[in-house]
Amino acid sequence: MNAADGIALALLVIFAILGIVLGFSRWIKFFCKGLIFGTIFSIIVCYFIFGWVSGWGFIQNSFMKISSMNWLNYTILAIVLFIVVSLIRWLVVKLLSGIFESKNIVCRVLNKTLGFIFWVATIIALVLIVFQIIYWIGGSTAESFYNWLDGGFMRLEWLFDHNPVAGFLS
């Protein structure tokens, strides 16, 4: 076990404990309800569904009718999509946090279980994003970071080389 494995293991344990203590309702409130994280969440969702929505037939037909201002069409679509996603996000957060904060034993166990899963998934996603940023920096920074990861029992160097986030961010 090297230092990278120890840090990774410590982060996993800390975030697992956070997930069990705080639960899913706090996770969803933290990452989806607030102004800063909620807006970032809405922008990320809009980024992933914009291409799908802009390919719908009635959207394309309306764009063809006003083709002289194509950039304006996409801007208006992006703004409308952001507003719709933000409203849906607000409703879902309100509904889910209300359900998971109830005093029912089933909801409490489910809250703790989903909290564990989502908090651990959050730290894994953050680590993968950091790995991808270091990979993009490249050069001696990426090489020395790879060497620091190499040789541990968690095989973090393999994860650095085969980062699943690279497909989303490239």
Side-chain angles (χ1 to χ4, degrees):
M1 183 163 116
N2 59 17
D5 286 337
I7 292 170
L9 197 57
L11 284 173
L12 283 173
V13 168
I14 289 169
F15 272 72
I17 291 170
L18 272 175
I20 293 169
V21 170
L22 298 177
F24 178 69
S25 61
R26 294 259 178 94
W27 180 89
I28 200 167
K29 282 182 179 180
F30 181 77
F31 285 105
C32 300
K33 188 176 183 180
L35 180 64
I36 295 171
F37 282 124
T39 303
I40 292 170
F41 181 80
S42 293
I43 290 170
I44 290 170
V45 170
C46 288
Y47 171 78
F48 284 114
I49 66 173
F50 184 79
W52 176 59
V53 170
S54 64
W56 289 350
F58 72 92
I59 301 276
Q60 289 293 322
N61 292 338
S62 66
F63 282 3
M64 293 298 190
K65 291 178 184 173
I66 351 172
S67 63
S68 62
M69 296 183 287
N70 202 17
W71 65 271
L72 184 61
N73 295 337
Y74 284 107
T75 304
I76 291 171
L77 176 64
I79 292 170
V80 168
L81 187 63
F82 177 77
I83 291 170
V84 168
V85 166
S86 295
L87 287 173
I88 292 171
R89 173 186 52 88
W90 179 79
L91 286 171
V92 168
V93 167
K94 203 74 154 146
L95 178 72
L96 287 178
S97 63
I99 290 171
F100 285 111
E101 289 177 348
S102 70
K103 301 297 181 200
N104 183 343
I105 188 68
V106 174
C107 290
R108 294 176 89 179
V109 169
L110 196 57
N111 185 27
K112 301 297 183 186
T113 305
L114 287 175
F116 170 80
I117 292 168
F118 276 86
W119 282 96
V120 169
T122 299
I123 192 60
I124 291 170
L126 289 173
V127 166
L128 291 175
I129 290 169
V130 167
F131 279 11
Q132 186 61 35
I133 290 170
I134 292 171
Y135 179 80
W136 283 337
I137 292 171
S140 63
T141 303
E143 185 178 332
S144 64
F145 186 72
Y146 180 87
N147 291 335
W148 183 66
L149 296 175
D150 195 21
F153 76 94
M154 293 181 75
R155 305 254 328 174
L156 294 172
E157 73 280 357
W158 183 89
L159 194 59
F160 183 75
D161 282 337
H162 302 91
N163 192 345
V165 175
F168 290 119
L169 298 178
S170 60

Tab-separated table of all heavy atoms in Angstrom, residues 46-76:
chain	number	residue	atom	x	y	z
A	46	CYS	N	-28.357	20.334	-18.658
A	46	CYS	CA	-28.663	20.961	-19.952
A	46	CYS	C	-27.607	20.626	-20.993
A	46	CYS	O	-27.931	20.386	-22.159
A	46	CYS	CB	-28.776	22.479	-19.802
A	46	CYS	SG	-30.261	23.005	-18.951
A	47	TYR	N	-26.341	20.589	-20.595
A	47	TYR	CA	-25.262	20.243	-21.514
A	47	TYR	C	-25.466	18.859	-22.105
A	47	TYR	O	-25.297	18.640	-23.301
A	47	TYR	CB	-23.915	20.327	-20.786
A	47	TYR	CG	-22.756	19.779	-21.574
A	47	TYR	CD1	-22.177	20.523	-22.594
A	47	TYR	CD2	-22.250	18.508	-21.311
A	47	TYR	CE1	-21.113	20.018	-23.331
A	47	TYR	CE2	-21.190	18.004	-22.033
A	47	TYR	CZ	-20.626	18.764	-23.044
A	47	TYR	OH	-19.586	18.258	-23.772
A	48	PHE	N	-25.846	17.904	-21.248
A	48	PHE	CA	-25.995	16.529	-21.713
A	48	PHE	C	-27.266	16.301	-22.524
A	48	PHE	O	-27.300	15.413	-23.374
A	48	PHE	CB	-25.933	15.547	-20.544
A	48	PHE	CG	-24.540	15.328	-20.037
A	48	PHE	CD1	-24.178	15.737	-18.775
A	48	PHE	CD2	-23.591	14.733	-20.834
A	48	PHE	CE1	-22.892	15.542	-18.305
A	48	PHE	CE2	-22.293	14.530	-20.376
A	48	PHE	CZ	-21.949	14.943	-19.112
A	49	ILE	N	-28.329	17.082	-22.305
A	49	ILE	CA	-29.562	16.829	-23.050
A	49	ILE	C	-29.822	17.836	-24.166
A	49	ILE	O	-30.768	17.660	-24.928
A	49	ILE	CB	-30.789	16.752	-22.115
A	49	ILE	CG1	-31.083	18.092	-21.449
A	49	ILE	CG2	-30.638	15.656	-21.113
A	49	ILE	CD1	-32.377	18.093	-20.657
A	50	PHE	N	-28.980	18.857	-24.315
A	50	PHE	CA	-29.223	19.886	-25.329
A	50	PHE	C	-29.209	19.299	-26.752
A	50	PHE	O	-30.075	19.614	-27.555
A	50	PHE	CB	-28.181	21.006	-25.215
A	50	PHE	CG	-28.429	22.137	-26.176
A	50	PHE	CD1	-29.388	23.092	-25.891
A	50	PHE	CD2	-27.722	22.232	-27.356
A	50	PHE	CE1	-29.632	24.135	-26.763
A	50	PHE	CE2	-27.960	23.268	-28.243
A	50	PHE	CZ	-28.921	24.223	-27.940
A	51	GLY	N	-28.228	18.476	-27.054
A	51	GLY	CA	-28.145	17.883	-28.394
A	51	GLY	C	-29.342	17.014	-28.707
A	51	GLY	O	-29.854	17.011	-29.826
A	52	TRP	N	-29.816	16.294	-27.704
A	52	TRP	CA	-30.984	15.439	-27.882
A	52	TRP	C	-32.234	16.284	-28.132
A	52	TRP	O	-32.996	16.015	-29.063
A	52	TRP	CB	-31.132	14.571	-26.637
A	52	TRP	CG	-32.342	13.700	-26.595
A	52	TRP	CD1	-32.687	12.734	-27.484
A	52	TRP	CD2	-33.362	13.719	-25.600
A	52	TRP	NE1	-33.860	12.140	-27.097
A	52	TRP	CE2	-34.300	12.721	-25.937
A	52	TRP	CE3	-33.568	14.464	-24.447
A	52	TRP	CZ2	-35.428	12.471	-25.169
A	52	TRP	CZ3	-34.683	14.200	-23.687
A	52	TRP	CH2	-35.598	13.213	-24.052
A	53	VAL	N	-32.426	17.333	-27.341
A	53	VAL	CA	-33.608	18.178	-27.475
A	53	VAL	C	-33.566	18.966	-28.784
A	53	VAL	O	-34.584	19.099	-29.464
A	53	VAL	CB	-33.734	19.132	-26.262
A	53	VAL	CG1	-34.804	20.182	-26.483
A	53	VAL	CG2	-34.026	18.340	-25.004
A	54	SER	N	-32.397	19.464	-29.167
A	54	SER	CA	-32.318	20.266	-30.394
A	54	SER	C	-32.536	19.417	-31.642
A	54	SER	O	-32.793	19.954	-32.713
A	54	SER	CB	-30.973	20.989	-30.481
A	54	SER	OG	-29.919	20.062	-30.589
A	55	GLY	N	-32.468	18.097	-31.520
A	55	GLY	CA	-32.716	17.212	-32.656
A	55	GLY	C	-34.176	16.829	-32.827
A	55	GLY	O	-34.527	16.140	-33.785
A	56	TRP	N	-35.048	17.233	-31.930
A	56	TRP	CA	-36.468	16.909	-32.052
A	56	TRP	C	-37.034	17.556	-33.310
A	56	TRP	O	-36.674	18.690	-33.662
A	56	TRP	CB	-37.251	17.385	-30.837
A	56	TRP	CG	-36.986	16.595	-29.587
A	56	TRP	CD1	-36.294	15.433	-29.472
A	56	TRP	CD2	-37.416	16.932	-28.272
A	56	TRP	NE1	-36.252	15.011	-28.175
A	56	TRP	CE2	-36.946	15.912	-27.401
A	56	TRP	CE3	-38.146	17.967	-27.733
A	56	TRP	CZ2	-37.193	15.915	-26.045
A	56	TRP	CZ3	-38.381	17.975	-26.383
A	56	TRP	CH2	-37.913	16.955	-25.545
A	57	GLY	N	-37.937	16.878	-33.959
A	57	GLY	CA	-38.495	17.330	-35.234
A	57	GLY	C	-39.134	18.700	-35.189
A	57	GLY	O	-38.850	19.558	-36.031
A	58	PHE	N	-40.003	18.956	-34.218
A	58	PHE	CA	-40.679	20.254	-34.182
A	58	PHE	C	-39.718	21.392	-33.854
A	58	PHE	O	-39.911	22.524	-34.291
A	58	PHE	CB	-41.875	20.233	-33.220
A	58	PHE	CG	-41.528	20.208	-31.764
A	58	PHE	CD1	-41.413	21.385	-31.047
A	58	PHE	CD2	-41.319	18.999	-31.104
A	58	PHE	CE1	-41.101	21.360	-29.702
A	58	PHE	CE2	-41.011	18.970	-29.758
A	58	PHE	CZ	-40.905	20.148	-29.047
A	59	ILE	N	-38.652	21.107	-33.125
A	59	ILE	CA	-37.630	22.125	-32.850
A	59	ILE	C	-36.889	22.442	-34.152
A	59	ILE	O	-36.681	23.607	-34.494
A	59	ILE	CB	-36.644	21.646	-31.768
A	59	ILE	CG1	-37.358	21.327	-30.465
A	59	ILE	CG2	-35.505	22.620	-31.580
A	59	ILE	CD1	-37.615	22.490	-29.555
A	60	GLN	N	-36.498	21.405	-34.889
A	60	GLN	CA	-35.799	21.601	-36.157
A	60	GLN	C	-36.673	22.357	-37.145
A	60	GLN	O	-36.189	23.244	-37.851
A	60	GLN	CB	-35.375	20.244	-36.753
A	60	GLN	CG	-34.264	19.568	-35.996
A	60	GLN	CD	-32.962	20.334	-36.098
A	60	GLN	OE1	-32.633	20.887	-37.131
A	60	GLN	NE2	-32.238	20.393	-34.996
A	61	ASN	N	-37.966	22.031	-37.219
A	61	ASN	CA	-38.879	22.724	-38.140
A	61	ASN	C	-39.009	24.194	-37.789
A	61	ASN	O	-39.011	25.055	-38.678
A	61	ASN	CB	-40.256	22.054	-38.128
A	61	ASN	CG	-40.226	20.679	-38.735
A	61	ASN	OD1	-39.334	20.349	-39.516
A	61	ASN	ND2	-41.200	19.859	-38.385
A	62	SER	N	-39.107	24.490	-36.509
A	62	SER	CA	-39.202	25.902	-36.116
A	62	SER	C	-37.896	26.643	-36.392
A	62	SER	O	-37.911	27.823	-36.719
A	62	SER	CB	-39.605	26.028	-34.653
A	62	SER	OG	-38.600	25.516	-33.821
A	63	PHE	N	-36.749	25.948	-36.276
A	63	PHE	CA	-35.472	26.572	-36.597
A	63	PHE	C	-35.371	26.869	-38.086
A	63	PHE	O	-34.806	27.875	-38.493
A	63	PHE	CB	-34.306	25.684	-36.181
A	63	PHE	CG	-33.996	25.710	-34.702
A	63	PHE	CD1	-34.763	26.444	-33.813
A	63	PHE	CD2	-32.927	25.004	-34.211
A	63	PHE	CE1	-34.476	26.462	-32.463
A	63	PHE	CE2	-32.629	25.020	-32.860
A	63	PHE	CZ	-33.406	25.743	-31.987
A	64	MET	N	-35.918	26.007	-38.911
A	64	MET	CA	-35.872	26.203	-40.365
A	64	MET	C	-36.680	27.419	-40.789
A	64	MET	O	-36.327	28.100	-41.740
A	64	MET	CB	-36.388	24.961	-41.102
A	64	MET	CG	-35.502	23.771	-40.946
A	64	MET	SD	-33.889	24.089	-41.635
A	64	MET	CE	-33.196	22.486	-41.578
A	65	LYS	N	-37.764	27.686	-40.073
A	65	LYS	CA	-38.618	28.826	-40.416
A	65	LYS	C	-37.900	30.150	-40.166
A	65	LYS	O	-38.134	31.126	-40.853
A	65	LYS	CB	-39.923	28.769	-39.624
A	65	LYS	CG	-40.816	27.626	-40.054
A	65	LYS	CD	-42.067	27.577	-39.219
A	65	LYS	CE	-42.887	26.353	-39.616
A	65	LYS	NZ	-44.021	26.155	-38.732
A	66	ILE	N	-37.040	30.175	-39.163
A	66	ILE	CA	-36.313	31.409	-38.838
A	66	ILE	C	-34.820	31.142	-38.949
A	66	ILE	O	-34.058	31.420	-38.043
A	66	ILE	CB	-36.636	31.909	-37.418
A	66	ILE	CG1	-37.767	31.159	-36.752
A	66	ILE	CG2	-36.912	33.388	-37.407
A	66	ILE	CD1	-37.962	31.516	-35.310
A	67	SER	N	-34.380	30.645	-40.088
A	67	SER	CA	-32.995	30.209	-40.226
A	67	SER	C	-31.992	31.354	-40.291
A	67	SER	O	-30.805	31.144	-40.155
A	67	SER	CB	-32.844	29.317	-41.461
A	67	SER	OG	-33.161	30.073	-42.619
A	68	SER	N	-32.458	32.586	-40.488
A	68	SER	CA	-31.513	33.697	-40.573
A	68	SER	C	-30.841	33.989	-39.233
A	68	SER	O	-29.777	34.578	-39.199
A	68	SER	CB	-32.228	34.947	-41.083
A	68	SER	OG	-33.249	35.319	-40.169
A	69	MET	N	-31.480	33.613	-38.151
A	69	MET	CA	-30.916	33.867	-36.822
A	69	MET	C	-30.691	32.549	-36.090
A	69	MET	O	-31.247	32.312	-35.027
A	69	MET	CB	-31.840	34.767	-36.017
A	69	MET	CG	-32.004	36.151	-36.606
A	69	MET	SD	-33.034	37.203	-35.594
A	69	MET	CE	-34.649	36.522	-35.887
A	70	ASN	N	-29.878	31.672	-36.659
A	70	ASN	CA	-29.666	30.343	-36.099
A	70	ASN	C	-29.064	30.390	-34.692
A	70	ASN	O	-29.464	29.645	-33.811
A	70	ASN	CB	-28.780	29.532	-37.040
A	70	ASN	CG	-28.949	28.053	-36.820
A	70	ASN	OD1	-29.914	27.606	-36.214
A	70	ASN	ND2	-28.002	27.286	-37.308
A	71	TRP	N	-28.083	31.261	-34.436
A	71	TRP	CA	-27.469	31.356	-33.116
A	71	TRP	C	-28.479	31.808	-32.081
A	71	TRP	O	-28.456	31.364	-30.938
A	71	TRP	CB	-26.270	32.304	-33.144
A	71	TRP	CG	-26.639	33.722	-33.453
A	71	TRP	CD1	-26.723	34.295	-34.685
A	71	TRP	CD2	-27.022	34.729	-32.515
A	71	TRP	NE1	-27.135	35.599	-34.572
A	71	TRP	CE2	-27.318	35.900	-33.246
A	71	TRP	CE3	-27.139	34.766	-31.134
A	71	TRP	CZ2	-27.728	37.074	-32.651
A	71	TRP	CZ3	-27.545	35.945	-30.525
A	71	TRP	CH2	-27.827	37.086	-31.297
A	72	LEU	N	-29.424	32.704	-32.491
A	72	LEU	CA	-30.442	33.176	-31.564
A	72	LEU	C	-31.411	32.051	-31.207
A	72	LEU	O	-31.832	31.933	-30.053
A	72	LEU	CB	-31.199	34.358	-32.172
A	72	LEU	CG	-32.243	35.022	-31.274
A	72	LEU	CD1	-31.582	35.578	-30.025
A	72	LEU	CD2	-32.965	36.115	-32.034
A	73	ASN	N	-31.727	31.202	-32.187
A	73	ASN	CA	-32.608	30.064	-31.924
A	73	ASN	C	-32.012	29.150	-30.861
A	73	ASN	O	-32.704	28.734	-29.928
A	73	ASN	CB	-32.849	29.253	-33.198
A	73	ASN	CG	-33.600	30.033	-34.241
A	73	ASN	OD1	-34.302	30.983	-33.923
A	73	ASN	ND2	-33.456	29.640	-35.488
A	74	TYR	N	-30.745	28.826	-31.011
A	74	TYR	CA	-30.094	27.942	-30.051
A	74	TYR	C	-29.948	28.598	-28.680
A	74	TYR	O	-30.038	27.932	-27.653
A	74	TYR	CB	-28.735	27.468	-30.577
A	74	TYR	CG	-28.870	26.399	-31.631
A	74	TYR	CD1	-28.628	26.680	-32.969
A	74	TYR	CD2	-29.256	25.115	-31.282
A	74	TYR	CE1	-28.762	25.701	-33.933
A	74	TYR	CE2	-29.392	24.129	-32.238
A	74	TYR	CZ	-29.152	24.426	-33.565
A	74	TYR	OH	-29.293	23.468	-34.503
A	75	THR	N	-29.738	29.897	-28.674
A	75	THR	CA	-29.647	30.615	-27.399
A	75	THR	C	-30.984	30.588	-26.677
A	75	THR	O	-31.041	30.322	-25.464
A	75	THR	CB	-29.200	32.070	-27.632
A	75	THR	OG1	-27.963	32.059	-28.344
A	75	THR	CG2	-29.034	32.811	-26.332
A	76	ILE	N	-32.060	30.864	-27.407
A	76	ILE	CA	-33.395	30.835	-26.804
A	76	ILE	C	-33.719	29.421	-26.312
A	76	ILE	O	-34.233	29.242	-25.206
A	76	ILE	CB	-34.458	31.344	-27.800
A	76	ILE	CG1	-34.260	32.849	-28.024
A	76	ILE	CG2	-35.864	31.054	-27.308
A	76	ILE	CD1	-35.091	33.422	-29.145
